[in-house]
Amino acid sequence: QEGCVPSILEVAKLRNPDATGFLTTHADFWFRPSAIVNETGLRLEAIWHLKSGLVNPKYAPGGLHCLSGREEILNDTHWHWFGHRNMDSWRAIDRLQHAYGYDPTVCAGWSDGWYVPRSAWDMFANVSSEFGPIVHEVAIPTVLQILHRHRGVPLQLDGRCWGGCCSKSQNTDDILKQPCGHRMDLTQQAVRDTLKSMLAEDLKMLRRRAR
């Protein structure tokens, strides 16, 4: 995601000059637009990121598993790091620290859905260029945290979504009852029908709200 998004944003600037931001999710992540975009969820001027769903809450009570400094990053055993990718993460954040003075902190977090406001597109592209080979569950939370802490972009961590990076819903009621979640099994006709029904009803509600 972090590798291809800068190119997508360049195209989006040309084709959608009035766009307020960029929202991306995995194909099997569902969300109800009316529930996500509101005063307690996604705000168009702020970063929106999932609060939990990746790491053990015991180690990440705030929803993200953040580590600072070479020793903490390289010696961490609370997350699997996809085969010692913590070394790649350290090298990337070390380069950014030397280039821009960012604190040497990397974060792992649930990254199946996130949003960046238009005002931060260029900053996102600049910072994310250092994280090409790094798994998105580390690259995305780290980049978004940098934009928030060092560039002053507002950040919202949303803890309302069902499931997590590796969960699988077995009940179509989850799609109807939960504002967002991951993951749904789109190979199942009942799941696809439920998703279409939920979105159709939500569209009707949004149209009524806009009157």
Side-chain angles (χ1 to χ4, degrees):
Q1 287 180 324
E2 68 285 351
C4 62
V5 167
S7 298
I8 295 173
L9 294 180
E10 285 299 318
V11 175
K13 289 178 188 177
L14 299 174
R15 295 186 178 180
N16 302 280
D18 298 325
T20 56
F22 176 80
L23 172 68
T24 180
T25 71
H26 280 197
D28 51 8
F29 182 97
W30 78 84
F31 65 93
R32 188 179 304 114
S34 65
I36 290 299
V37 184
N38 58 31
E39 65 278 1
T40 60
L42 188 157
R43 297 201 317 267
L44 298 180
E45 77 282 2
I47 293 167
W48 180 79
H49 194 222
L50 302 170
K51 185 175 182 179
S52 57
L54 176 65
V55 292
N56 190 328
K58 175 182 177 182
Y59 303 116
L64 297 177
H65 181 50
C66 295
L67 305 155
S68 295
R70 187 177 190 276
E71 184 175 351
E72 269 196 11
I73 295 169
L74 297 185
N75 294 328
D76 180 65
T77 58
H78 294 153
W79 197 54
H80 56 77
W81 291 98
F82 286 92
H84 305 294
R85 284 297 179 90
N86 43 348
M87 174 59 79
D88 294 332
S89 301
W90 161 249
R91 288 171 177 163
I93 200 65
D94 187 50
R95 288 193 297 269
L96 286 168
Q97 183 187 31
H98 283 88
Y100 302 105
Y102 299 151
D103 61 86
T105 299
V106 300
C107 298
W110 185 17
S111 300
D112 292 331
W114 48 277
Y115 168 89
V116 177
R118 177 66 175 261
S119 62
W121 285 5
D122 289 340
M123 291 183 282
F124 179 93
N126 179 262
V127 176
S128 65
S129 64
E130 291 290 346
F131 288 87
I134 298 169
V135 65
H136 74 280
E137 281 97 346
V138 174
I140 294 301
T142 301
V143 171
L144 298 183
Q145 284 291 313
I146 287 173
L147 297 184
H148 173 57
R149 293 197 309 269
H150 295 281
R151 301 298 184 90
V153 184
L155 170 67
Q156 292 178 295
L157 289 173
D158 197 330
R160 298 174 299 159
C161 295
W162 181 94
C165 67
C166 310
S167 303
K168 182 177 180 180
S169 173
Q170 303 293 336
N171 191 339
T172 55
D173 284 348
D174 291 331
I175 298 173
L176 298 175
K177 294 179 180 179
Q178 304 297 333
C180 45
H182 181 267
R183 58 188 165 97
M184 55 183 169
D185 185 356
L186 291 171
T187 66
Q188 302 298 315
Q189 184 66 48
V191 171
R192 298 196 299 272
D193 290 343
T194 301
L195 178 65
K196 288 191 290 185
S197 175
M198 180 272 286
L199 291 173
E201 288 301 314
D202 202 55
L203 178 59
K204 291 178 183 177
M205 190 276 291
L206 288 171
R207 284 173 172 167
R208 289 195 299 269
R209 182 189 295 177
R211 290 174 184 170

